Amino acid sequence: METNSCLDVASFAEAYGMPELLEEAEDFILRNFQGVSTTLKFLDLPANKLLDLLRCDGLCAPSELAVFRAVVAWLEADPTERLAQAKEVMTGVRFSLMTFKEFREVRAINLRLDMLHDIRQLGPHREFLLSDPDQCRIRRPKYALVLVGGDQVVPDVGNRLPSRELWFANSLRSGTGLVKSMEWMVLGEIPEKPRFRHGVGVMGGQLYVVGGQFCRFSPSLTHTRRYDPMQDKWQRLADMQEYRSNFTVVVRENCLYAIGGDTDITLNLGSVEVYSPDSDTWRFAKPLDHALSGHAATVWDGEIFISGGFNSTYQCLTSMFTYHPERGTTYLAEMSGDRAQHCMEVLRSCGGLCVVGGVCKQRTFYADQLACEVYDPLSDAWSAFTPLDVPHVGAASVVLEEKLYILGGYCQEDYRETRLVHRYDPAHWHWENMGKMPGPNTDIRACLLLLPEHLRH
């Protein structure tokens, strides 16, 4: 799917009754609205189709001013025919979400259209606009960014308070200068005990929470829990066959894969277990070539990619390989630097799989790894991208609307918590400060969930 073709794909899917393809195309259009709005196909949209897009809460744009500019371009493409539709189409622009500075541009634009006369006389926070609920709704991504569990770093290990809470980012707000803020809300709690160094995965719209620890010196767990956000209910499922913490969980072909990890403080694992939701069972798959913990894993086009981590002597690794449950390990080009306790996510707009944060080994001690790299599976090669300004060791990560979020963690040098969210935008090649984290934020896990609307308003 590309910005130049997605509208054609949506039209094709609608014409030939292909609802799944239509949903995928419409989601792509909403996620990439700013790019799509610059295409010739966008300028040919019928007014009703454009208005359907504008009225979606999931429409992604850097500001409501960008939405307004897209509508202006659409109107100017054929002003003679579209004058009569202009006022109705402009109702899809949420002027109440604009700042006064942005609204000055709206008032300054002279399209010689009568329907703009009333808008120019208004400010974004006038009573007329605020009386319309549609004008006040914040645009949000279709999927919510959810944080699960986590620990905190304090000098007194005995007083650490791991978290049971699930938080979700309800909205994104502009802040002072270059800093933005995320509005965090509590979604619920993990049953029974807190959890950190655990694994999470999402299948069928439901959240799976696996293994981990419930306090710093507790043994690793085998527990598996499933959360249904639509019913707001937890269910206990079959336990894993081995105790695991500091491991990875990925979803492939409607199964969960629990890969490696620590079984206690001094012993890590090379085993892999596969969970089938149909039979509620865990089974062993082909093991890794060596014991591994503190690594990162993700899925690209059906293949499981695994990077870095600690080996059995807790040396940081530079390795990158694919794992198959029957064929096992296939080694790929190595990273330029070693790392463990890091994040890896697929970011196609950046060219492949991005590795970020973690620690590296310098002589006899661990140090913060600030360098960032991206792996291109087509060329089997690595390249550097913008390094971090702030350490993120044991952080969480997700990709939302083709931007990479890295959340929380700590600094290896002084064990100070990194109570910040940073977002990488490949279009501008820089990291943005998105504000503070909620609650404990070390050894947390993050995912994207589709939440019921009553929780998000």
Side-chain angles (χ1 to χ4, degrees):
M1 200 85 68
E2 297 179 349
T3 55
N4 288 321
S5 63
C6 56
L7 289 167
D8 287 323
V9 173
S11 298
F12 175 86
E14 186 174 20
Y16 287 90
M18 305 170 72
E20 291 183 0
L21 180 59
L22 179 60
E23 181 180 4
E24 183 178 347
E26 289 177 342
D27 285 348
F28 183 91
I29 294 165
L30 292 172
R31 291 197 311 270
N32 299 275
F33 179 79
Q34 191 170 20
V36 173
S37 68
T38 64
T39 65
L40 294 175
K41 184 67 177 179
F42 176 83
L43 299 179
D44 290 335
L45 279 176
N48 64 319
K49 294 291 185 182
L50 174 59
L51 195 52
D52 286 345
L53 291 175
L54 299 177
R55 287 175 173 169
C56 283
D57 292 348
L59 185 146
C60 177
S63 69
E64 204 65 22
L65 181 61
V67 178
F68 172 76
R69 288 170 176 166
V71 177
V72 168
W74 181 85
L75 291 170
E76 290 185 321
D78 191 0
T80 303
E81 293 293 327
R82 292 172 179 174
L83 273 173
Q85 302 166 311
K87 189 171 184 178
E88 181 183 7
V89 170
M90 278 292 179
T91 62
V93 181
R94 301 180 185 181
F95 292 98
S96 62
L97 301 183
M98 292 184 183
T99 65
F100 283 102
K101 182 178 179 180
E102 290 171 334
F103 206 80
R104 281 198 295 269
E105 179 177 328
V106 173
R107 298 180 66 180
I109 292 175
N110 182 10
L111 293 175
R112 298 181 303 278
L113 299 178
D114 292 338
M115 70 91 200
L116 282 179
H117 175 75
D118 292 338
I119 294 175
R120 289 199 196 98
Q121 309 308 314
L122 296 169
H125 307 292
R126 295 290 176 87
E127 183 178 350
F128 167 77
L129 291 172
L130 293 177
S131 65
D132 183 353
D134 289 340
Q135 278 286 325
C136 301
R137 286 209 312 274
I138 297 170
R139 296 196 189 274
R140 299 183 177 90
K142 179 178 179 180
Y143 291 92
L145 194 167
V146 176
L147 295 177
V148 184
D151 193 15
Q152 62 178 338
V153 177
V154 294
D156 185 354
V157 175
N159 285 329
R160 285 188 173 183
L161 296 173
S163 175
R164 291 177 56 191
E165 290 178 319
L166 276 66
W167 295 81
F168 72 97
N170 189 49
S171 66
L172 178 65
R173 299 171 176 175
S174 295
T176 304
L178 297 177
V179 179
K180 296 180 173 63
S181 63
M182 302 175 76
E183 178 196 21
W184 293 97
M185 298 180 65
V186 174
L187 177 60
E189 289 187 338
I190 303 170
E192 300 164 7
K193 293 181 178 180
R195 203 72 63 94
F196 68 99
R197 289 193 167 188
H198 48 299
V200 299
V202 176
M203 288 193 299
Q206 298 186 325
L207 168 66
Y208 291 76
V209 181
V210 186
Q213 295 172 267
F214 61 83
C215 69
R216 179 55 53 176
F217 297 111
S218 69
S220 300
L221 302 171
T222 60
H223 298 172
T224 306
R225 301 288 186 272
R226 180 169 61 198
Y227 174 67
D228 183 344
M230 299 303 169
Q231 302 295 325
D232 191 25
K233 290 183 179 179
W234 287 89
Q235 181 181 4
R236 179 164 183 169
L237 305 174
D239 289 349
M240 290 185 294
Q241 300 189 52
E242 288 202 277
Y243 298 91
R244 295 179 196 271
S245 63
N246 203 20
F247 66 116
T248 54
V249 168
V250 297
V251 177
R252 176 183 177 272
E253 296 182 354
N254 201 38
C255 288
L256 292 178
Y257 286 75
I259 303 169
D262 293 316
T263 188
D264 62 33
I265 297 174
T266 59
L267 179 64
N268 53 15
L269 301 166
S271 64
V272 178
E273 294 185 57
V274 184
Y275 175 78
S276 171
D278 294 335
S279 59
D280 185 27
T281 56
W282 288 93
R283 61 177 176 81
F284 284 110
K286 190 176 182 67
L288 304 174
D289 285 358
H290 52 80
L292 195 61
S293 64
H295 52 289
T298 191
V299 176
W300 168 291
D301 291 345
E303 286 196 89
I304 299 172
F305 288 78
I306 300 173
S307 65
F310 298 115
N311 63 12
S312 58
T313 59
Y314 286 86
Q315 299 292 312
C316 296
L317 303 175
T318 59
S319 59
M320 176 71 154
F321 58 88
T322 58
Y323 168 80
H324 190 277
E326 296 172 357
R327 297 191 299 271
T329 300
T330 301
Y331 286 94
L332 307 169
E334 294 188 345
M335 296 181 286
S336 63
D338 60 315
R339 68 177 76 224
Q341 302 293 93
H342 60 292
C343 302
M344 180 168 66
E345 296 287 349
V346 174
L347 191 60
R348 293 181 185 271
S349 56
C350 196
L353 291 82
C354 296
V355 292
V356 177
V359 296
C360 56
K361 196 72 178 289
Q362 292 186 354
R363 296 179 182 174
T364 60
F365 59 90
Y366 296 113
D368 296 307
Q369 176 62 277
L370 299 178
C372 299
E373 298 184 66
V374 58
Y375 174 77
D376 181 356
L378 299 179
S379 62
D380 187 28
W382 291 89
S383 58
F385 68 98
T386 312
L388 292 167
D389 293 326
V390 176
H392 285 275
V393 181
S397 62
V398 294
V399 169
L400 178 61
E401 296 181 337
E402 279 305 297
K403 294 181 178 65
L404 171 61
Y405 289 75
I406 182 164
L407 306 103
Y410 66 95
C411 170
Q412 179 69 28
E413 182 179 333
D414 58 11
Y415 293 99
R416 171 176 42 86
E417 285 189 316
T418 306
R419 298 191 62 83
L420 294 171
V421 180
H422 285 98
R423 181 175 75 177
Y424 183 73
D425 183 353
H428 299 99
W429 298 94
H430 71 90
W431 290 94
E432 298 175 286
N433 182 348
M434 306 300 292
K436 292 185 178 181
M437 291 275 294
N441 60 39
T442 298
D443 292 319
I444 56 173
R445 298 295 180 261
C447 63
L448 300 180
L449 269 180
L450 187 63
L451 299 181
E453 283 302 309
H454 73 271
L455 291 176
R456 304 191 68 183
H457 289 293

